[in-house]
């Protein structure tokens, strides 16, 4: 990244770029530099400005990568956005594929203080989970959790609280469908996440997503960490709330006063997520998080990138990092699935940038994806997971999911993530119990406006007060501190009990 004439009004991110990014609101007629001349129109902070004349139907380049084609002639000093930038379909092939060397692991005595579980995994939080198999049991689940959280008994036993895991599905589904498999995986993934000391799973009794079948199919046989029942068999609502409360209190006494203990960083799995992206996301918070993600991987830990529509157009960068051709093929299969999925639903992948993204300066999915991929750093790609599929290989993993944040993070936590790092330029206020969520602001203005919701300001990178490396190291240290029990901003505000949103695919009959 370089400054135009050492004056940070417009920055160029790569020597090959023909557009720069405005670091502040620029008024029409304001001189940008001696080389560029004056701005030819008003340009908002985070938006693109042409550094040179660009002919129609020629590439527009940012990050050293093509983000689209000029849909009309563009002159130096023009605002470059959706009105003069068209989508370009990128051609991806494995014809000359070369496997990437696995990222080497460094010897380190760094640790975090976590909760060691019987299956050898380590949690960053010590919650109790009450999980609904179907929407019909959601009221009982929530009422039980509210009742237990209202008392101080569980807190005195060393627990962080009770999390009601409720959703709007679980019945009227084809049990052989892809959508049903997704639901099974998220429910079971949450049930075994190490951030839960133990869980109670509650069904209604007649739903498609049968609790006993779920437990048997996925081998959830650890009676010390799992119990379950159906409301119809328990005798109705009040009887079920009492039964669930009794089961929780009995299991809580078994798991009482579990203490944090040191653990190597190989037991950390971090979800990499973004929401409310802006023109600074790919310049500040995303690459800084990528730097931290590389440090996690180098210390033997794991990171999970997701949101398949938001890597579209940048998938070639991930293919270059795949450790073998099977991993590369799995990634392209997911892209092909999404192209078909959006087509049959009358949409296209370039529909992804939201109105908020565009207001923040992002114009095409190619531009958004190039910035989004930078969250993953540069580590080798160990594996590609289907939605909510349990992580099997340490290191950098990619998980298939929509770009809708709650759905995507739900899948990442079900895959095994115990911490979430969430970059945002427009502002985000969500949390994702049982995993703590670290909010990373891409710009100082938003950080100042929403400081109670943000954990780290990465805007200093654009202000000239920070670097990607130093900010990335700060994020890495914050991850270790949060994993060891430090509270995040979203946790202090009580967020996290409403963001369990399984990916619903297929017909509801």
């Amino acid at each position: 990244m370089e400054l135009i004439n050492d004056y940070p009004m417009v920055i160029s991110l790569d020597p090959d770029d023909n557009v720069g990014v405005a670091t502040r609101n620029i008024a029409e007629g304001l001189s940008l530099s001696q080389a560029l001349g004056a701005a030819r129109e008003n340009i908002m902070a985070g938006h693109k400005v042409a550094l040179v004349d660009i002919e129609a139907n020629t590439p527009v380049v940012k990050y050293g990568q093509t983000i689209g084609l000029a849909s009309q002639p563009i002159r130096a000093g023009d605002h470059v956005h959706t009105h003069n930038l068209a989508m370009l379909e990128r051609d991806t092939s494995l014809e000359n594929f070369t496997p990437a060397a696995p990222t080497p692991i460094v010897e380190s005595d760094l640790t975090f203080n976590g909760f060691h579980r019987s299956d050898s995994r380590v949690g960053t939080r010590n919650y109790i989970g009450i999980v609904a198999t179907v929407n019909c049991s959601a009221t009982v689940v929530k009422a039980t959790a509210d009742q237990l959280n209202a008392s101080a008994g569980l807190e005195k036993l060393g627990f962080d609280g009770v999390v009601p895991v409720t959703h709007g599905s679980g019945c009227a589904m084809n049990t052989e469908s892809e959508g049903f498999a997704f639901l099974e995986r998220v429910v079971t993934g949450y049930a075994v996440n190490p951030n839960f000391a133990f869980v109670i799973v509650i069904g209604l009794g007649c739903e498609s997503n049968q609790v006993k079948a779920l437990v048997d199919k996925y081998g959830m046989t650890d009676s010390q960490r799992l119990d379950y029942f159906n409301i119809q068999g328990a005798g109705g609502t009040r009887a079920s709330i009492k039964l669930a409360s009794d089961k929780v209190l009995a299991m809580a006494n078994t798991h009482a006063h579990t203490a944090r203990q040191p653990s190597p960083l190989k037991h950390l799995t971090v979800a990499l997520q973004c929401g409310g992206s802006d023109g600074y996301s790919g310049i500040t918070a995303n690459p800084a998080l990528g730097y931290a993600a590389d440090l996690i991987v180098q210390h033997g830990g794991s990171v999970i990138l997701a949101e398949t529509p938001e890597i579209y157009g940048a998938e070639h960068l991930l293919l270059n990092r795949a450790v073998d051709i099977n991993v590369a093929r799995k990634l392209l299969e997911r892209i092909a699935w999404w192209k078909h999925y959006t087509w049959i639903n009358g949409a296209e992948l370039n529909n992804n940038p939201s109105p908020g993204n565009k207001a923040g300066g992002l114009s095409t999915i190619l531009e958004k994806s190039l910035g989004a991929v930078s969250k993953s750093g540069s580590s080798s790609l160990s594996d590609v997971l289907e939605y909510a599929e349990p992580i099997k290989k340490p290191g950098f993993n990619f998980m298939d999911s929509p770009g809708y944040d709650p759905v995507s993070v739900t899948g990442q936590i079900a895959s095994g993530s115990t911490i979430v790092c969430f970059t945002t330029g427009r502002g985000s206020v969500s949390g994702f119990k049982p995993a703590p969520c670290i909010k990373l602001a891409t710009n100082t203005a938003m950080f100042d406006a929403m400081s109670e919701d943000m954990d780290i300001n990465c805007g200093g990178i654009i202000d000239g007060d920070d670097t990607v490396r130093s900010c990335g190291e700060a994020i890495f240290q914050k991850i270790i501190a949060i994993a060891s029990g430090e509270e995040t901003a979203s946790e202090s505000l009580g967020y996290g009990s409403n963001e369990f949103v399984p990916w619903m695919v297929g017909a509801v009959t």
Side-chain angles (χ1 to χ4, degrees):
M1 182 172 70
E2 65 173 338
L3 306 179
I4 303 299
N5 283 358
D6 296 322
Y7 184 67
M9 185 182 297
V10 177
I11 56 173
S12 173
L13 306 176
D14 188 275
D16 292 332
D17 288 358
N18 55 16
V19 294
V21 179
T23 63
R24 63 192 71 179
N25 291 334
I26 299 173
E28 180 180 356
L30 184 66
S31 176
L32 300 174
S33 71
Q34 186 174 5
L36 278 176
R40 289 171 45 81
E41 51 195 313
N42 293 331
I43 302 167
M44 292 177 61
H47 283 241
K48 295 175 292 300
V49 56
L51 303 178
V52 296
D53 292 345
I54 305 172
E55 297 181 7
N57 299 315
T58 59
V60 174
V61 181
K62 180 182 176 184
Y63 307 115
Q65 301 281 335
T66 298
I67 62 171
L69 296 177
S71 58
Q72 62 190 55
I74 300 173
R75 292 179 60 184
D78 278 351
H79 179 211
V80 179
H81 199 35
T82 53
H83 63 290
N84 55 12
L85 179 58
M87 176 66 178
L88 170 70
E89 189 76 21
R90 204 186 296 279
D91 187 22
T92 304
S93 169
L94 295 179
E95 184 177 349
N96 298 311
F97 174 79
T98 302
T103 298
I105 306 302
V106 300
E107 292 290 333
S108 171
D109 57 1
L110 277 179
T111 62
F112 73 99
N113 291 321
F115 296 97
H116 292 241
R117 306 304 185 192
S118 58
D119 60 1
S120 299
R121 295 195 296 167
V122 181
T124 65
R125 293 295 182 266
N126 197 35
Y127 283 111
I128 296 164
I130 306 182
V131 182
T133 62
V134 65
N135 181 252
C136 306
S137 60
T139 296
V140 164
V141 165
K142 190 172 187 309
T144 305
D146 288 346
Q147 178 177 295
L148 290 166
N149 283 325
S151 68
L154 293 174
E155 184 179 342
K156 291 178 180 178
L157 293 176
F159 298 99
D160 293 320
V162 182
V163 180
V165 182
T166 62
H167 55 96
S169 186
C171 201
M173 303 171 68
N174 177 2
T175 57
E176 301 300 319
S177 68
E178 197 167 31
F180 189 78
F182 292 169
L183 180 61
E184 285 188 318
R185 289 206 294 262
V186 295
V187 169
T188 55
Y190 269 64
V192 300
N193 189 287
N195 282 5
F196 284 130
F198 62 88
V199 297
I200 307 292
V201 184
I202 303 176
L204 176 62
C206 55
E207 65 270 19
S208 301
N209 192 27
Q210 287 285 305
V211 60
K212 181 65 166 61
L214 195 67
V215 168
D216 291 344
K217 179 177 179 179
Y218 287 88
M220 297 190 295
T221 56
D222 187 352
S223 60
Q224 293 295 307
R225 291 196 63 217
L226 176 76
D227 203 348
Y228 59 92
F229 68 89
N230 286 317
I231 294 169
Q232 291 166 351
T237 300
R238 288 189 176 89
S240 294
I241 293 171
K242 183 179 186 306
L243 178 59
S245 297
D246 290 346
K247 285 179 177 290
V248 167
L249 293 173
M251 293 180 77
N253 283 306
T254 300
H255 294 269
H257 306 298
T258 302
R260 290 182 179 272
Q261 299 176 49
S263 172
L265 300 193
K266 69 179 182 179
H267 289 295
L268 274 182
T269 301
V270 181
L272 311 174
Q273 190 67 210
C274 61
S277 300
D278 68 354
Y280 297 137
S281 294
I283 305 170
T284 61
N286 286 2
L289 177 54
Y291 189 94
D294 283 343
L295 292 176
I296 293 290
V297 171
Q298 288 164 20
H299 284 80
S302 299
V303 297
I304 303 177
L305 181 68
E307 301 180 292
T308 313
E310 297 187 15
I311 66 158
Y312 175 61
E315 66 269 23
H316 61 294
L317 301 179
L318 295 180
L319 292 173
N320 291 340
R321 294 159 59 186
V323 294
D324 61 53
I325 196 164
N326 291 326
V327 171
R329 283 177 179 145
K330 284 200 284 187
L331 183 64
L332 289 185
E333 286 170 1
R334 293 296 86 206
I335 296 288
W337 186 95
W338 272 95
K339 287 181 178 179
H340 175 71
Y341 181 61
T342 52
W343 177 77
I344 62 175
N345 284 283
E348 59 177 335
L349 285 171
N350 194 42
N351 288 347
N352 178 275
S354 69
N357 296 152
K358 292 175 181 177
L362 297 175
S363 305
T364 67
I365 187 57
L366 299 185
E367 180 183 10
K368 185 177 182 181
S369 293
L370 289 164
V373 164
S374 66
K375 296 195 301 292
S376 66
S378 59
S379 300
S380 57
L381 177 59
S382 298
D383 202 5
V384 173
L385 308 172
E386 293 196 24
Y387 182 71
E389 182 183 356
I391 188 170
K392 300 179 287 295
K393 299 178 182 178
F396 167 42
N397 283 248
F398 178 80
M399 186 201 75
D400 183 31
S401 84
Y404 183 43
D405 310 326
V407 173
S408 185
V409 178
T410 293
Q412 289 170 305
I413 294 173
S415 286
S417 296
T418 54
I419 248 181
V420 179
C421 285
F422 195 111
T423 70
T424 181
R426 306 291 290 175
S428 171
V429 297
S430 52
F432 302 96
K433 291 179 182 177
C437 179
I438 303 172
K439 293 288 174 46
L440 310 172
T442 73
N443 64 86
T444 301
M446 188 276 290
F447 178 84
D448 289 342
M450 299 183 65
S451 58
E452 70 173 3
D453 293 281
M454 298 294 119
D455 294 287
I456 292 180
N457 178 26
C458 302
I461 297 169
I462 205 80
D463 299 336
D465 302 325
D466 209 345
T467 66
V468 168
R469 177 174 180 170
S470 60
C471 191
E473 289 173 343
I475 294 169
F476 177 63
Q477 293 301 326
K478 177 65 79 170
I479 290 171
I480 294 173
I482 297 296
S484 299
E486 182 180 303
E487 192 175 51
T488 67
S490 63
E491 287 179 307
S492 71
L493 292 165
Y495 281 101
S497 294
N498 300 300
E499 288 86 352
F500 179 75
V501 187
W503 184 11
M504 290 289 94
V505 176
V508 177
T509 56

